[in-house]
């Protein structure tokens, strides 16, 4: 396998990061759609309850062996697909997606059909199927080239391929099926493997994310580690082989702890102490003085005047300590005066923050390559606040530099703000749109349910209408999640037995 790195692209973004660190039938013809609000009907494209019931009756008759029902059911699926497609073409909202996790019980006959039918009934024309999550992959046991266990692993189900089945059945219904993957969060089970301990990201206190994140189930990796790149690249290749309509990368970031650990304000807070990340950081030095000061800053958490003096004596023939992105000021700062020392400390801090952020960008860029080479759209899922500065010199500990993500990707901001109204949600969407390159497609992810407020967020209708009014360039959204909208269905599927 060839791991390709675009050095020119990476160096460009790295300089930008260092300079400022992170940026602050007749039945249908009579009643196609439900009528919650007449002006909104064509935007949401929801099918009538009569249409839903007709389709479900045919599905059940088909499962009982009625061949005529099977024929009529498939014909109705096609009619509904055409209705939704026509509706979407006439609406400001061209794409409406929903996030979905599949379970082993979805391998039961007719289960995925029922699931996708419910999704189409609600007017969705895209579904984001979770493929890699919690240390599991939605690949069959007999065709799983990854170090993660298959989500479906019951005896006799070794060849069950829920992802391929979802893609096939989704397309029969006019749904575009995206594969949704965790990215830098490899899962608890991966972190327990003795042969993968060196892959985990570590901070300056010797911790990995299992001891920092509440619940201890998220295991984040060092994005500079080659084994992490190889493992994940193989996973993406296996997913791309099934030809989804798109692929989405989630958890493109470092962990966020609670309390004071939610802010990175000191170098030991950064997840750059793994062997690979540390070695890559040292390679950013451009002379011996620069490397020596980077080493001392990383190990001590700061540098002293005596460190500067010692480095000058060790390498007397060199000038200013240099590393990638460093800008030399007219006044030499290698001299250990208090003001010059403070400037040097700040430069080193910006270097290490930028190094951490660049690792995230590089890992995402590499991960998206198999999809992009096949012409499959790829997207990045992120928190709009994941790249923000905190206080005088701190940063959100997730260090998610989404504003530096490749412009060729779709951007999917998780606009989950909570303030009782849609105002704060719209603010998050607007912030991303303002920073996105012109060619970048922004597709907000919204949290909520239809028709009612939920967890102090307004209904999905209210959120979408607010976005339509205030950010009119948005023409696609997604909804998190199926489990919120259909809790009974989700619970039954989660706990049943094959």
């Amino acid at each position: 396998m060839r791991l390709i790195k675009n050095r020119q692209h990476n160096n460009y973004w790295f300089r930008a990061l260092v300079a400022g660190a992170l940026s602050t039938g007749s039945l249908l013809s009579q009643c196609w759609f439900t009528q919650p609000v007449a002006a909104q009907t064509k935007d949401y494209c929801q099918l009538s309850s009569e249409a839903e019931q007709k389709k479900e009756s045919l599905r059940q008759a088909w499962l009982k062996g009625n061949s005529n029902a099977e024929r009529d059911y498939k014909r109705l699926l096609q009619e509904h697909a055409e209705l939704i497609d026509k509706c979407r073409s006439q609406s400001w909202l061209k794409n409406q997606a929903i996030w979905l996790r599949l379970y082993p019980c979805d391998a039961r006959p007719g289960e995925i059909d029922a699931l996708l039918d419910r999704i189409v009934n609600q007017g969705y024309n895209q579904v984001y199927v979770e493929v890699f999550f919690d240390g599991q992959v939605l690949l069959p046991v007999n065709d799983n080239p990854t170090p993660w266990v298959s989500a479906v692993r019951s005896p006799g189900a070794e060849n069950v391929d829920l992802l391929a089945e979802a893609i096939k059945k989704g397309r029969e219904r006019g749904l575009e099926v995206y594969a949704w993957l965790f990215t830098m969060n490899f899962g608890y089970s991966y972190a327990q493997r003795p042969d993968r301990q060196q892959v985990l990201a570590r901070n300056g206190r010797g911790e990995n994310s299992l001891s920092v994140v509440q619940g201890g189930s998220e295991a984040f990796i060092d994005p500079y580690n080659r084994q992490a790149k190889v493992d994940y690249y193989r996973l993406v290749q296996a997913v791309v082989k099934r030809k989804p309509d798109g692929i989405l990368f989630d958890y493109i970031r470092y962990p966020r702890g609670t309390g004071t650990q939610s802010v990175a304000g000191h170098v030991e807070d950064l997840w750059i102490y793994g062997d690979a990340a540390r070695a890559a950081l040292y390679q950013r030095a451009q002379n011996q003085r620069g490397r020596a000061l980077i080493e001392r800053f990383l190990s001590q958490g700061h540098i002293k005047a005596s460190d500067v003096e010692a480095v000058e004596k060790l390498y007397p023939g060199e000038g200013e300590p240099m590393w990638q992105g460093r800008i030399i000021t007219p006044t030499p700062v290698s001299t250990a005066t208090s003001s010059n020392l403070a400037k040097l400390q700040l430069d080193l801090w910006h270097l290490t923050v930028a190094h951490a952020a660049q690792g995230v960008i590089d890992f995402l860029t590499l991960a998206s390559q198999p999809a992009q080479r096949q012409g499959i759209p790829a997207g990045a899922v992120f928190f709009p606040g994941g790249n923000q500065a905190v206080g005088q010199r701190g940063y959100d500990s997730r260090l998610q530099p989404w504003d530096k993500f490749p412009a060729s990707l779709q951007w999917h901001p998780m606009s989950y703000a909570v303030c009782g109204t849609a105002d704060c949600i719209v603010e998050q969407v607007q912030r991303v749109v303002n920073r996105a390159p012109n060619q970048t497609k922004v597709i907000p992810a919204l949290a909520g349910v239809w028709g009612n407020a939920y967890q102090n967020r307004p209904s999905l209708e209210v959120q979408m209408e607010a976005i339509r009014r205030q950010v009119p360039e948005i023409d696609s959204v997604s909804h998190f999640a199926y489990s919120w909208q259909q809790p009974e269905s989700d619970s039954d599927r989660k706990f049943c037995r094959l």
Side-chain angles (χ1 to χ4, degrees):
M1 175 175 48
R2 183 183 178 191
L3 302 179
I4 300 176
K5 185 174 182 181
N6 187 326
R7 296 181 181 273
Q8 182 177 4
H9 172 84
N10 289 340
N11 285 338
Y12 171 80
W13 285 121
F14 188 80
R15 289 196 300 271
L17 283 166
V18 174
L22 292 180
S23 66
T24 50
S26 62
L27 172 65
L28 293 175
S29 65
Q30 296 171 18
C31 190
W32 286 359
F33 311 109
T34 56
Q35 302 288 333
V37 179
Q40 299 172 353
T41 300
K42 68 183 181 65
D43 296 331
Y44 304 143
C45 303
Q46 296 173 344
L47 298 176
S48 69
S49 58
E50 291 89 349
E52 295 178 21
Q53 292 165 7
K54 176 65 174 177
K55 184 163 56 179
E56 178 59 15
S57 295
L58 288 172
R59 187 188 70 87
Q60 292 184 12
W62 157 56
L63 289 174
K64 293 176 182 178
N66 186 324
S67 59
N68 289 332
E70 180 182 9
R71 179 197 62 212
D72 293 343
Y73 176 59
K74 291 184 177 180
R75 182 184 300 130
L76 195 57
L77 294 182
Q78 182 62 37
E79 290 179 4
H80 286 183
E82 292 172 356
L83 286 172
I84 300 297
D85 182 63
K86 181 179 179 181
C87 178
R88 287 278 159 228
S89 70
Q90 297 173 349
S91 169
W92 70 274
L93 194 59
K94 303 306 179 187
N95 295 292
Q96 181 177 274
I98 191 166
W99 302 78
L100 172 70
R101 174 177 290 188
L102 296 177
Y103 299 102
C105 286
D106 291 321
R108 296 178 300 185
E111 194 67 44
I112 288 185
D113 298 273
L115 185 63
L116 297 178
D117 284 351
R118 294 189 195 102
I119 289 172
V120 170
N121 293 342
Q122 288 286 68
Y124 293 102
N125 61 340
Q126 294 180 331
V127 57
Y128 301 160
V129 175
E130 198 168 25
V131 172
F132 173 48
F133 56 95
D134 297 344
Q136 304 177 76
V137 292
L138 204 66
L139 298 173
V141 170
N142 286 344
D143 189 13
N144 180 5
T146 79
W148 297 281
V149 298
S150 296
V152 182
R153 47 187 183 273
S154 301
E158 291 82 4
N159 292 313
V160 169
D161 193 332
L162 282 181
L163 174 58
E165 190 76 357
I167 293 170
K168 173 179 175 292
K169 291 182 178 292
R171 289 176 178 161
E172 290 173 353
R173 292 160 173 78
L175 286 168
E176 289 187 345
V177 180
Y178 277 51
W180 159 34
L181 289 75
F182 285 14
T183 306
M184 287 174 58
N185 177 7
F186 277 21
Y188 179 84
S189 59
Y190 185 95
Q192 302 309 302
R193 293 180 53 135
D195 61 343
R196 291 296 191 275
Q197 295 303 300
Q198 80 284 1
V199 177
L200 304 179
R202 298 188 182 278
N203 62 24
R205 292 178 288 275
E207 300 170 318
N208 64 44
S209 63
L210 294 179
S211 59
V212 172
V213 180
Q214 193 170 17
S217 62
E218 297 179 357
F220 287 80
I221 50 85
D222 176 356
Y224 287 97
N225 186 278
R226 179 174 175 80
Q227 186 66 61
K229 297 175 185 178
V230 170
D231 287 345
Y232 198 77
Y233 200 89
R234 286 176 177 162
L235 166 62
V236 176
Q237 285 181 315
V239 172
V240 166
K241 186 173 71 171
R242 286 152 175 84
K243 300 189 182 303
D245 295 294
I247 186 166
L248 299 179
F249 299 99
D250 197 357
Y251 280 92
I252 319 161
R253 59 178 178 86
Y254 296 102
R256 185 180 189 183
T258 58
T260 58
Q261 289 186 313
S262 66
V263 176
H266 304 279
V267 65
E268 58 265 27
D269 299 327
L270 302 177
W271 299 91
I272 57 173
Y273 285 80
D275 291 343
R278 188 192 295 258
L281 176 60
Y282 294 159
Q283 290 172 7
R284 296 198 186 278
Q286 294 180 334
N287 60 15
Q288 293 294 338
R289 284 191 180 185
R291 180 182 175 114
L293 287 179
I294 292 170
E295 290 176 347
R296 291 173 186 237
F297 184 71
L298 201 62
S299 62
Q300 299 170 178
H302 61 275
I303 55 170
K304 305 182 294 293
S306 58
D307 293 316
V308 177
E309 293 168 354
V311 167
E312 289 176 351
K313 291 179 181 177
L314 281 172
Y315 308 105
E318 293 188 345
E320 287 284 321
M322 289 298 299
W323 46 80
Q324 290 178 14
R326 184 159 191 236
I327 299 173
I328 296 299
T329 58
T331 303
V333 298
S334 58
T335 304
T337 65
S338 58
S339 60
N340 290 338
L341 183 61
K343 177 65 168 62
L344 197 54
Q345 298 258 31
L346 186 61
D347 286 351
L348 285 163
W349 169 237
H350 284 168
L351 168 69
T352 51
V353 171
H355 176 70
Q358 187 66 50
V360 177
I361 297 169
D362 291 350
F363 198 85
L364 171 61
T365 301
L366 176 67
S368 62
Q369 286 177 0
Q372 292 185 311
R373 288 181 186 140
Q374 297 296 320
I376 296 174
V381 186
F382 56 87
F383 289 105
N387 66 342
Q388 289 186 322
V390 180
Q392 291 296 315
R393 52 168 280 164
Y395 299 95
D396 186 300
S397 62
R398 292 170 291 191
L399 287 178
Q400 191 168 46
W402 57 260
D403 50 327
K404 303 298 187 297
F405 285 171
S408 59
L409 300 182
Q410 297 174 354
W411 287 10
H412 292 253
M414 294 181 285
S415 307
Y416 297 167
V418 176
C419 60
T421 72
D423 293 346
C424 52
I425 296 167
V426 171
E427 287 176 5
Q428 289 188 329
V429 174
Q430 188 67 71
R431 180 171 186 261
V432 174
V433 168
N434 289 345
R435 299 191 180 199
N438 291 334
Q439 70 269 36
T440 300
K441 181 78 170 177
V442 177
I443 305 174
L446 308 177
V449 298
W450 291 98
N452 296 290
Y454 186 73
Q455 296 187 353
N456 205 29
R457 297 182 181 91
S459 69
L460 292 173
E461 297 96 324
V462 170
Q463 294 184 48
M464 289 187 289
E465 286 303 311
I467 291 172
R468 179 185 185 181
R469 290 191 306 270
Q470 300 180 56
V471 198
E473 52 266 62
I474 296 296
D475 66 1
S476 301
V477 301
S478 65
H479 296 160
F480 189 89
Y482 178 86
S483 60
W484 286 20
Q485 295 186 23
Q486 304 276 352
E488 292 183 5
S489 166
D490 199 69
S491 179
D492 291 344
R493 295 163 45 242
K494 185 185 300 184
F495 298 111
C496 83
R497 286 190 174 186
L498 269 180

